[in-house]
Amino acid sequence: MKDIRDLSIEELTELFKELGEPAFRAKQVHQWLWQKGALSFEEMSNLPKSLREKLQENFSFHITKIHTAQKSIDGTIKVAFILHDGSKIEGVLIPTSKRTTACVSSQVGCSLDCKFCATGYLKRERNLTAAEIVDQVRLINQLADENYGRKLDNIVYMGMGEPLLNYANVMRSVQLITSPEGMGMSPSRITLSTAGIAKMIMKLADDGCRTHLALSLHSANNEKRSAIMPINDSNNLEMLAEALSYWYEKTGVRPTLEYTVIAGVNDGVQEEIELANFARKFPSKINLIEYNPISLAEFQPTGRLDAFAQALEARKLIVNVRRSRGKDIDAACGQLANKLQ
């Protein structure tokens, strides 16, 4: 049966009209689903029992469950989720002294084949629904409360999959997370990360997206970027620069350039210059990320991470160095591959 949570508020309104029920029932059910996180019709105590039974006959809840939760020595928690159809994904809770962040997935697997990323070696099975994305946020939020006595401060769509290739469900999940009728989180606390789908970046801007945006760049040289990120063949640096300029003009929000620094691949002086030149094409910020080795590739971390950062800062660019969290449990950036059998 169809998941009741796949219905929009408009579709719920039409449903209750067909059932001969007053329109306000749609708002009641919507609140149970997205404000209160109900996972059964029995919980919806302000609905008549006859209506609850009628809904139960026609709809179900495709419930996401935590299968395992591994805790790193640094406090990071990697969560393996099992979806209603048996598919498996991973998410991560990243706590610091200042904030708690949920890293969530948008697809089962991935189709982009990035050579330094464990998820890139999986095949894409399917897109996640908006409800499955929100479920990750809710469950990780519970873990944050249970383990650290804090709610989530930030959400990053940086887990398994490419968010902009699941555009409709990702945007609906953002709406549900940020809506006052949903979880009520500020869009400024959400970051969408993309490997670089230029036309969809521009669509985000046109659609009035109010989240932050991060581009997984990793090289500012077309030939080198294509070698590690095949998506660059169809969405090259010139197209991405145009799209990110358009994003900034429409939103006023600086995009972040994510750059994983890999020994002998993109960590030289020439690469510093190329990155600086690209970053100057539009207002931006740069996150330099430690490379986290995976068994499927032979890449290694650079010994020049701090030097690379200093060289960019000397060129008056905004630079942050992101130290990896959860490496001992394969929860760090680029390591999510879900090893559940």
Side-chain angles (χ1 to χ4, degrees):
M1 289 189 289
K2 187 178 181 69
D3 187 346
I4 186 70
R5 299 181 299 168
D6 287 342
L7 300 183
S8 66
I9 184 68
E10 292 79 16
E11 290 170 324
L12 285 171
T13 301
E14 186 62 30
L15 169 67
F16 288 116
K17 182 179 178 181
E18 292 173 4
L19 294 175
E21 296 284 345
F24 72 83
R25 295 292 185 208
K27 185 174 182 181
Q28 287 180 319
V29 171
H30 192 269
Q31 288 176 330
W32 276 109
L33 295 176
W34 304 113
Q35 279 188 346
K36 303 175 184 178
L39 291 175
S40 74
F41 294 112
E42 281 303 306
E43 295 176 60
M44 301 180 183
S45 54
N46 59 353
L47 299 185
K49 185 177 180 182
S50 59
L51 177 56
R52 282 180 272 158
E53 290 173 348
K54 195 178 296 185
L55 290 172
Q56 193 157 339
E57 290 171 5
N58 292 281
F59 296 95
S60 65
F61 288 82
H62 293 172
I63 297 174
T64 301
K65 297 179 180 178
I66 292 178
H67 180 72
T68 60
Q70 295 174 268
K71 195 169 188 178
S72 166
I73 56 174
D74 64 22
T76 298
I77 300 176
K78 181 172 73 170
V79 187
F81 298 101
I82 293 187
L83 310 180
H84 76 281
D85 61 356
S87 297
K88 306 172 185 73
I89 57 171
E90 289 182 343
V92 184
L93 168 62
I94 309 165
T96 69
S97 59
K98 296 181 180 179
R99 64 183 64 89
T100 51
T101 300
C103 174
V104 299
S105 295
S106 56
Q107 295 179 311
V108 180
C110 189
S111 61
L112 297 188
D113 301 322
C114 297
K115 304 306 179 188
F116 53 88
C117 176
T119 307
Y121 289 84
L122 303 175
K123 65 177 181 178
R124 189 190 73 83
E125 300 288 347
R126 67 173 177 85
N127 288 332
L128 297 183
T129 66
E132 288 170 333
I133 296 171
V134 175
D135 280 347
Q136 294 175 75
V137 174
R138 287 194 185 281
L139 291 168
I140 293 175
N141 191 43
Q142 289 174 18
L143 287 176
D145 194 23
E146 291 166 6
N147 285 268
Y148 300 105
R150 296 176 56 182
K151 300 293 186 181
L152 287 175
D153 298 300
N154 296 295
I155 301 167
V156 295
Y157 286 66
M158 294 183 183
M160 304 170 74
E162 166 53 55
L164 299 193
L165 292 180
N166 185 17
Y167 189 88
N169 288 319
V170 163
M171 293 311 292
R172 181 166 183 249
S173 72
V174 169
Q175 187 273 329
L176 292 167
I177 291 167
T178 59
S179 167
E181 293 77 31
M183 295 178 69
M185 180 175 279
S186 169
S188 66
R189 294 184 177 273
I190 298 175
T191 299
L192 299 181
S193 177
T194 176
I197 318 294
K199 69 177 182 180
M200 301 309 290
I201 292 172
M202 297 173 84
K203 180 172 173 55
L204 276 176
D206 286 337
D207 288 349
C209 181
R210 295 183 294 129
T211 69
H212 290 283
L213 178 67
L215 171 70
S216 291
L217 181 63
H218 311 303
S219 176
N221 175 291
N222 273 317
E223 183 178 355
K224 295 172 185 174
R225 190 170 191 264
S226 289
I228 58 173
M229 299 183 70
I231 187 65
N232 193 71
D233 291 339
S234 56
N235 289 263
N236 63 32
L237 294 169
E238 291 71 29
M239 296 168 66
L240 293 175
E242 180 182 0
L244 292 172
S245 296
Y246 185 81
W247 160 268
Y248 180 77
E249 289 168 7
K250 294 280 285 190
T251 68
V253 177
R254 289 175 182 259
T256 299
L257 304 178
E258 304 279 354
Y259 193 101
T260 300
V261 191
I262 306 171
V265 175
N266 62 0
D267 65 338
V269 174
Q270 180 60 32
E271 284 78 19
E272 294 169 359
I273 296 169
E274 290 167 346
L275 176 54
N277 289 340
F278 184 80
R280 288 198 186 99
K281 292 179 183 293
F282 43 84
S284 64
K285 299 178 288 185
I286 299 170
N287 280 352
L288 296 182
I289 304 168
E290 288 183 289
Y291 175 69
N292 302 297
I294 58 174
S295 61
L296 297 163
E298 296 182 354
F299 300 123
Q300 294 298 321
T302 184
R304 298 194 67 247
L305 186 61
D306 291 330
F308 203 96
Q310 290 165 9
L312 294 172
E313 288 171 342
R315 292 179 167 89
K316 310 301 182 185
L317 295 166
I318 302 172
V319 182
N320 293 297
V321 175
R322 297 299 188 202
R323 307 292 178 183
S324 295
R325 304 287 302 275
K327 286 191 283 189
D328 57 311
I329 56 170
D330 291 334
C333 184
Q335 292 185 322
L336 297 189
N338 205 309
K339 298 174 181 177
L340 286 178
Q341 298 300 316

